[in-house]
């Protein structure tokens, strides 16, 4: 469920306290016992009941009554904590509309110093849940692997943007907290959504950017028409969490796949013929 600005704005400080405590206690418990949470939050039983009820209704946490009464943070609760931190340090003032929803992230427009983009990484809650159901075990990464996986993914993307900007045409990195990356808004559409007037020039521009990124030690790893945006003022390559370095054991295969996806797209849609080998030698050479 996407996060709602309305709900985040209307959170009471006790509710925020409960979310923070739940996050902390998740290190120790799969289901944080009610009495542990009550003690950690310092709330009365009736106050806590009421606040928990609201948080559960909004989908920020869930509760269970077996084998004991306990609570778990949901993705929306983790998103909320990240958003609260970004707001506190002035990166964000208001959350706007959702502008993209993929398998592994939800992307929002927001207001900070101008329009910013917030990418909420959401790796694996579903896949971890089904793995647990099918195989009856939890992956190694603690009680909440999706928290670690999503945070790791956000950090990775932020790191790539910091390395690449401004040498490569990528959104400007602004901030990162938990599973969220804040970056500049780029005024364009993905290549899959638009029709280019000057496809040959754009392809050259993309190849130049892939080459510069490679020189800086970054291979995208998921390059395609869905992760390249174009607008009046140029192109941008987005979506970098899965990047790898040139010394990665699969670097050659992955770089080749990135190039091949791009070459195939420009060939299919615009009839531009160049070979993967030609482009690869431009990138590496
Ligand atoms: N900095 C940005 N400025 C403007 N729009 C953006 C920006 N970053 C992402 N978007 C929009 O959000 C969409 C999804 O972003 P991204 O590709 O980074 O995430 P994703 O998880 O791969 O989602 P998908 O699976 O849909 O590709 C993009 O296709 C684009 O429309
Ligand atoms: Mg993408």
């Amino acid at each position: 469920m996407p996060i709602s600005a309305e709900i985040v704005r209307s959170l009471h400080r006790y509710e925020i306290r409960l979310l923070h405590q739940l996050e902390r206690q998740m290190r120790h418990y799969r289901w944080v016992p009610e009495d542990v949470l009550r003690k950690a939050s310092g709330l009365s039983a009736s106050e806590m009941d009421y606040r928990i009820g609201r948080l559960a209704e909004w989908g920020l946490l869930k509760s269970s009554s077996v084998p004991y009464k306990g609570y778990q943070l949901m993705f929306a609760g983790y998103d909320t904590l990240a958003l609260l931190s970004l707001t506190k340090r002035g990166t964000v003032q208001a959350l706007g509309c959702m502008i993209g929803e993929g398998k592994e992230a939800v992307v929002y427009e927001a207001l900070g110093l101008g329009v910013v983009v917030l990418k909420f990484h959401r790796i694996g809650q579903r896949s971890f849940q089904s793995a647990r159901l099918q195989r009856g075990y939890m992956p190694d990464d603690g009680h909440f692997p999706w928290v670690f996986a999503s945070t790791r993914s956000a950090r990775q993307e932020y790191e790539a943007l910091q390395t690449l900007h401004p040498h490569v045409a990528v959104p400007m990195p602004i901030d990162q907290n938990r599973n969220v990356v804040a970056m500049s808004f780029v005024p364009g559409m993905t290549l899959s959504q638009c029709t280019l007037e000057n496809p040959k020039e754009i392809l050259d521009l993309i190849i130049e950017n892939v080459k510069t990124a490679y020189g800086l030690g970054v291979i995208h790893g998921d390059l395609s028409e869905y992760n390249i945006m174009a607008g009046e003022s140029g192109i941008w390559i987005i979506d970098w969490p899965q990047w790898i370095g040139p010394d990665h054991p699969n670097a050659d295969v992955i770089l080749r796949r990135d190039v091949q996806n791009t070459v195939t797209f420009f060939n299919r849609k615009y009839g531009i013929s160049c070979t993967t080998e030609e482009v690869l030698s431009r990138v590496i050479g």
Side-chain angles (χ1 to χ4, degrees):
M1 181 173 71
I3 186 171
S4 145
E6 207 80 340
I7 289 173
V8 176
R9 243 197 320 275
S10 67
L11 283 173
H12 185 274
R13 65 193 167 91
Y14 290 164
E15 289 154 4
I16 296 174
R17 196 191 294 175
L18 282 167
L19 291 176
H20 272 122
Q21 289 302 335
L22 205 50
E23 181 188 37
R24 290 189 56 176
Q25 297 298 334
M26 278 167 37
R27 279 186 240 143
H28 311 297
Y29 303 97
R30 190 149 120 62
W31 291 96
V32 177
E34 185 173 42
D35 54 335
V36 169
L37 188 59
R38 176 158 337 122
K39 216 164 151 198
S41 64
L43 299 179
S44 69
S46 60
E47 183 72 48
M48 186 164 123
D49 266 1
Y50 173 65
R51 298 297 168 193
I52 289 279
R54 280 167 47 101
L55 293 169
E57 196 178 308
W58 293 328
L60 306 190
L61 57 74
K62 64 179 173 185
S63 56
S64 160
S65 49
V66 278
Y68 54 83
K69 196 146 188 215
Y71 307 102
Q72 242 181 35
L73 198 62
M74 303 282 286
F75 248 123
Y78 197 57
D79 290 346
T80 301
L81 286 172
L83 194 58
L84 288 167
S85 292
L86 292 170
T87 308
K88 208 167 162 187
R89 49 198 206 210
T91 303
V92 179
Q93 269 126 48
L95 186 68
C97 304
M98 191 167 85
I99 55 173
E101 186 173 21
K103 288 184 301 296
E104 310 216 299
V106 192
V107 180
Y108 279 80
E109 246 179 34
L111 204 63
L113 286 174
V115 182
V116 299
V117 161
L118 297 181
K119 180 167 173 182
F120 294 81
H121 289 246
R122 285 161 169 245
I123 307 292
Q125 195 172 34
R126 229 172 289 155
S127 51
F128 286 123
Q129 256 162 10
S130 64
R132 195 183 306 135
L133 283 176
Q134 281 164 22
R135 300 182 222 135
Y137 71 84
M138 288 287 295
D140 285 341
D141 241 351
H143 300 295
F144 290 88
W146 54 269
V147 166
F148 296 98
S150 304
T151 299
R152 196 185 307 127
S153 173
R155 285 204 189 116
Q156 289 261 116
E157 176 152 42
Y158 193 63
E159 198 185 329
L161 295 180
Q162 281 185 310
T163 305
L164 299 173
H165 185 83
H167 317 289
V168 178
V170 296
M172 181 178 76
I174 297 175
D175 203 352
Q176 185 256 320
N177 182 266
R178 294 182 175 80
N179 60 329
V180 181
V181 176
M183 62 185 115
S184 64
F185 176 84
V186 301
M189 283 197 281
T190 62
L191 295 188
S192 62
Q193 293 167 325
C194 64
T195 301
L196 299 169
E197 285 169 13
N198 48 349
K200 182 76 184 71
E201 277 167 48
I202 297 289
L203 176 58
D204 281 339
L205 206 52
I206 295 167
I207 297 167
E208 280 311 305
N209 277 285
V210 171
K211 180 184 169 73
T212 310
Y214 185 76
L216 291 166
V218 180
I219 297 169
H220 188 285
D222 189 22
L223 196 66
S224 73
E225 62 272 29
Y226 300 102
N227 288 329
I228 303 171
M229 296 180 72
E232 300 217 327
S233 48
I235 63 137
W236 297 267
I237 304 181
I238 61 164
D239 202 5
W240 292 84
Q242 64 292 308
W243 73 276
I244 55 161
D247 48 2
H248 187 280
N250 296 332
D252 290 350
V253 176
I254 289 172
L255 179 65
R256 174 177 291 270
R257 194 183 58 195
D258 277 359
V259 166
Q260 187 148 24
N261 288 342
T262 311
V263 165
T264 307
F265 171 75
F266 276 87
N267 187 325
R268 181 165 35 85
K269 186 153 172 181
Y270 298 106
I272 295 175
S273 58
C274 57
T275 66
T276 299
E277 298 310 321
E278 271 165 34
V279 175
L280 262 180
S281 63
R282 267 176 75 185
V283 168
I284 298 169

